[in-house]
Amino acid sequence: MPKIYEIKTHHKRPREAAESWRLDGICAVGYRWTYEEEYPDGLPNDQWGLFPKMRKGDIVLAYARPCMVAYVGEVADHKINYQKHNLTGRRHGYWNQRAVTWWPEPNHFDPKDLPHWLHRQLGTRGTTIKEINLGNHTFSQAKAIIRTKPTSGSAFASQSEDTVKAGIRNYFLSNAHVFEPGLRIRKIEKEVARGHRPDFEAEDAKGTPVIVECKGYAWAAACDQLARYARKYPRGKQRPRLMLAAFGFEEACRKAARKARIELYRCNLRFTRHPYA
């Protein structure tokens, strides 16, 4: 059965190395030596023995510190190539390489987009290459999870929370109808009770109040926050709908939202041309 490996891209320039891997179509370990030179008596039993054991069809998670899976790909053949002259060899000195077919999506995602059993195995200090323990899951199940669960770009959202949240709020302010036809903003950061200030109070096409909270990356605590707003909402008024907008949602957040009947809206990057004046 194929296996899944996490490989850290570089100890000093992880994101730059990840881009070199993608452009070269490889993953790499080691530093200016071949396995034959370093281990003439056979492969070691520690992590360094894993790279030669990788086979065609295995999945590679290219982990870029501090908390990002930059790319996901599949090993293309059974060979280890000793390559000095491509980008990875020249810029980073990692000469032991394997051909990898990198997936276009997902990329640059927060490991916590993945289920807990999987993301807790990633990013271990002092470990460059690691075989992922699938537990009770089959390889096909794990592959499907990795392909479908993460949101591309969520690592940037979680690392720049305030900036990203401000961008979502700015977009929502002018484009509430994009989230739902007829949705209109009524109040911006107005208290529903002392110390409880949601990002927006809105109203849907039927006149039902809607409480909206925006996050760069949403954790389960965001659902607790919205639930508190709902409990503090003035008595005598119609019960509000709850809406959470973010670039990504951790698994626990999705479960909490389902339980609390919070509607989740995932944002995708959009670019608009900005006038000079």
Side-chain angles (χ1 to χ4, degrees), residues 149-277:
K149 289 290 186 181
T151 301
S152 291
S154 64
F156 297 127
S158 62
Q159 292 170 17
S160 308
E161 174 70 25
D162 292 341
T163 300
V164 175
K165 174 175 176 173
I168 294 177
R169 289 183 57 195
N170 183 59
Y171 182 82
F172 191 93
L173 185 61
S174 303
N175 300 276
H177 64 282
V178 173
F179 287 76
E180 181 177 290
L183 190 66
R184 293 172 292 177
I185 295 171
R186 294 303 190 193
K187 298 178 182 179
I188 303 171
E189 285 198 327
K190 296 294 184 181
E191 288 187 338
V192 295
R194 182 182 294 273
H196 296 273
R197 192 190 302 267
D199 288 330
F200 298 104
E201 286 185 67
E203 186 178 273
D204 66 17
K206 296 180 180 180
T208 304
V210 183
I211 295 178
V212 182
E213 188 67 20
C214 300
K215 300 290 183 184
Y217 189 84
W219 312 93
C223 294
D224 295 337
Q225 183 180 5
L226 269 169
R228 287 197 303 272
Y229 292 154
R231 290 195 297 270
K232 296 294 183 179
Y233 202 71
R235 294 182 180 180
K237 290 190 175 182
Q238 186 177 359
R239 179 180 175 84
R241 292 169 53 195
L242 304 177
M243 181 183 294
L244 178 60
F247 269 96
F249 307 92
E250 70 157 343
E251 184 181 20
C253 178
R254 292 192 290 267
K255 290 180 179 179
R258 188 181 302 114
K259 184 177 180 180
R261 296 185 178 181
I262 295 171
E263 301 166 44
L264 303 181
Y265 284 79
R266 189 175 73 181
C267 303
N268 294 313
L269 287 172
R270 295 177 181 271
F271 294 91
T272 56
R273 187 168 182 173
H274 191 72
Y276 293 114

Side-chain angles (χ1 to χ4, degrees), residues 41 56 61 78 103 155 219 232 263:
D41 298 325
K56 181 178 180 180
L61 305 176
H78 299 313
W103 298 352
W219 312 93
K232 296 294 183 179
E263 301 166 44

Side-chain angles (χ1 to χ4, degrees), residues 12-81:
K12 290 184 178 179
R13 301 186 300 278
R15 295 185 187 179
E16 181 183 340
E19 294 309 311
S20 295
W21 285 18
R22 181 184 64 84
L23 292 170
D24 288 334
I26 58 93
C27 65
V29 298
Y31 194 73
R32 295 188 174 90
W33 43 258
T34 67
Y35 267 85
E36 290 77 9
E37 292 169 338
E38 186 73 7
Y39 305 110
D41 298 325
L43 295 176
N45 293 321
D46 59 12
Q47 61 172 318
W48 302 112
L50 294 176
F51 194 70
K53 295 178 181 178
M54 295 169 67
R55 292 293 179 263
K56 181 178 180 180
D58 288 346
I59 287 179
V60 176
L61 305 176
Y63 190 93
R65 296 184 308 165
C67 191
M68 175 194 292
V69 177
Y71 294 104
V72 181
E74 297 180 45
V75 178
D77 57 38
H78 299 313
K79 302 176 183 177
I80 293 181
N81 300 305

